[in-house]
Amino acid sequence: MESRTYKDNFRNLILDMVQKELDNYVSQRGAKLFFEANVDRVIDENVQRVQTRKNNENMYLKMLTYGSYQENLISIGKLIKKQELFKSKQELYNFAKYLNLNVNKKLSYNQMLRMISKYIYDNRDLYSNRYVIYKRADKEYIVNPKDVKDDLIESYKSKTREEMKVIAKLLDVEIDEDEGAEDIRKKIINNIIKVKLKKNK
């Protein structure tokens, strides 16, 4: 998975994901150009959002992601114990509560560690597919590629919607504020056809 931590590879991963969405757009070339021109901006916005995560969430997600690549419970436990944050039983307890595990504070450090390791091991497919470790300079960020993809697509839809609204206004085509770009586009095309048919009568 190390290759996916590099910027270009992550960028290409997002572009591959949005490529599947291109079939839904009339202007596929325009959508492709927009995605390529804006993918870095949207990645940056997501990384900035990651930086504002509360308390130790980034470390928790890092453990879930790195832990999902481990081969067994013992290696997951060793990975967690290596982190300075989890040297104390209280922090390990906080991590377990973050995972919604039914832990009792009376449990020993090793019992809690075993429960957390088992949870990560049992859910390794989920976490290895959900997050990507994105490196920037000497820092690592846990980013959800689906979130980046969704933000990039929404950014394109928003831009296209605004462009369609401007054209509709110029042509005096009535639209609803909550209509999507494709619906507005259809109304514009229908309006142009009606005007042409009237002229040809």
Side-chain angles (χ1 to χ4, degrees):
M1 299 299 290
E2 188 64 21
S3 63
R4 292 178 71 190
T5 63
Y6 295 103
K7 185 175 182 178
D8 287 344
N9 287 347
F10 185 60
R11 186 178 189 275
N12 291 336
L13 171 68
I14 301 302
L15 289 174
D16 285 345
M17 290 171 77
V18 295
Q19 183 67 39
K20 294 169 186 174
E21 301 283 333
L22 286 177
D23 293 339
N24 300 326
Y25 300 114
V26 174
S27 175
Q28 290 190 13
R29 186 171 176 276
K32 188 170 187 288
L33 289 171
F34 178 88
F35 292 149
E36 288 174 351
N38 289 275
V39 64
D40 292 323
R41 172 182 61 79
V42 175
I43 289 172
D44 286 343
E45 287 170 0
N46 272 264
V47 169
Q48 285 171 17
R49 205 172 302 143
V50 165
Q51 289 172 323
T52 62
R53 280 180 181 146
K54 292 179 183 176
N55 303 325
N56 299 309
E57 189 176 6
N58 202 55
M59 176 57 78
Y60 295 162
L61 293 176
K62 192 180 286 189
M63 289 302 95
L64 290 170
T65 307
Y66 274 121
S68 69
Y69 305 152
Q70 305 304 310
E71 292 179 3
N72 52 51
L73 295 176
I74 294 169
S75 56
I76 294 171
K78 284 181 180 177
L79 176 73
I80 294 169
K81 281 176 80 173
K82 271 200 289 187
Q83 308 307 313
E84 193 62 38
L85 177 66
F86 300 118
K87 297 293 182 190
S88 79
K89 181 179 164 182
Q90 179 60 48
E91 288 300 342
L92 201 62
Y93 174 78
N94 293 343
F95 186 23
K97 294 305 284 182
Y98 173 82
L99 299 174
N100 291 318
L101 296 178
N102 187 20
V103 287
N104 189 315
K105 273 197 168 183
K106 291 179 182 178
L107 292 175
S108 71
Y109 179 93
N110 285 333
Q111 285 173 319
M112 285 188 195
L113 183 64
R114 205 172 300 119
M115 283 181 73
I116 292 169
S117 299
K118 185 177 186 315
Y119 170 84
I120 294 173
Y121 185 80
D122 290 345
N123 292 280
R124 60 195 185 280
D125 288 343
L126 171 69
Y127 290 109
S128 65
N129 289 317
R130 181 178 292 179
Y131 298 108
V132 167
I133 301 153
Y134 180 74
K135 288 184 180 178
R136 176 175 285 173
D138 60 341
K139 291 189 177 179
E140 292 181 339
Y141 303 97
I142 307 303
V143 183
N144 185 333
K146 184 182 178 300
D147 289 344
V148 181
K149 181 207 79 169
D150 291 346
D151 287 351
L152 185 56
I153 290 168
E154 187 50 46
S155 179
Y156 175 73
K157 283 181 178 177
S158 179
K159 171 189 171 284
T160 310
R161 190 183 305 121
E162 290 308 310
E163 288 174 351
M164 289 297 105
K165 280 183 180 179
V166 170
I167 296 169
K169 193 174 181 181
L170 288 170
L171 297 173
D172 289 326
V173 176
E174 284 189 24
I175 58 166
D176 297 324
E177 276 302 309
D178 58 347
E179 280 186 292
E182 289 304 307
D183 291 327
I184 299 171
R185 190 193 307 271
K186 284 173 189 172
K187 281 188 174 182
I188 290 169
I189 291 168
N190 287 338
N191 181 72
I192 292 168
I193 292 169
K194 281 179 187 175
V195 170
K196 283 205 169 190
L197 288 172
K198 279 183 184 177
K199 283 182 179 176
N200 290 336
K201 280 183 179 179

